[in-house]
Amino acid sequence: APLEEVDLPLFFGWFLLSSVQEKVRCTSMDFLKTLDTLEAFKKHLADFTGKAEKEVDLEQYFKPKGALHCTTKFCNYGKAEGAKEYAENPAVKALYGSAFEVSLTALFVTPRTVGARVSLTDEQLQLWPADAEQSSSLPPGSRAHITLGCAEGVEPVQTGLDLLDILALQQDGQQGEPAEEMELGSLTYYGEGRWLLSLREPIGAPACFSSFYG
Ligand code: ACK
């Protein structure tokens, strides 16, 4: 392909520094380990296994998906809609390569993905594409997340969609079922295998705004 067709990355985003990647992975593993042991989770195990009696080891169930990051714009090497416009956005150009701190405010689990919700600051929202939330009426930045793992055969694009799905339920006034007060925060069940842990203390993660070519 001519060079101009490959000069856009696969995606732009915030890439967590390696020291904090380890910390976030540990936190997520601890969460999965604890979730697995909760009576509330066992009660809804069929959401994951299809069978009530079967056991699931969540730490094995989810496979890691590479370096931890929060995608801003998926460009697909320029083939995604709005990719070129995004790359040419003055804020994107000005802030490319800069250091940020992204705030992880919740962890969520579904039968497909495990992820962390990222709450963006106003400055960070300048780097957020207008079309990310798709047709949902959720505010810009709602989809911001870090994929921590995916079930067998599930692509990481699913993590943000799972988060939007949970946030849409909340927006519709569905409070979910309070399940457990954990050391990390409050755990809520939203049905169909959807669990959200609101972190008592957000995790501040140093990250670099950059891009990934793959
Ligand atoms: O976990 P993620 O945010 O989900 O990070 C990866 C990254 O781009 C490389 O695959 C995300 N991704 C893939 N396809 C899309 C898409 N159509 N829209 C938004 N993000 C996407 C994926």
Side-chain angles (χ1 to χ4, degrees), residues 10-11 69 71 74 143 145 147 156-157 159:
L10 182 60
F11 66 94
H69 67 272
T71 303
F74 179 71
R143 187 176 180 167
H145 70 279
T147 296
V157 63
T159 318

Side-chain angles (χ1 to χ4, degrees), residues 117 125 128 133 136-143 164 171:
R117 182 180 188 189
L125 280 168
W128 195 252
E133 280 69 32
S136 83
S137 58
L138 292 161
S142 296
R143 187 176 180 167
L164 286 179
Q171 196 187 39

Side-chain angles (χ1 to χ4, degrees), residues 79-100:
K79 293 192 286 271
E81 199 174 327
K84 190 158 177 280
E85 292 73 10
Y86 182 84
E88 286 169 357
N89 175 335
V92 169
K93 287 186 164 176
L95 294 169
Y96 192 82
S98 330
F100 284 83

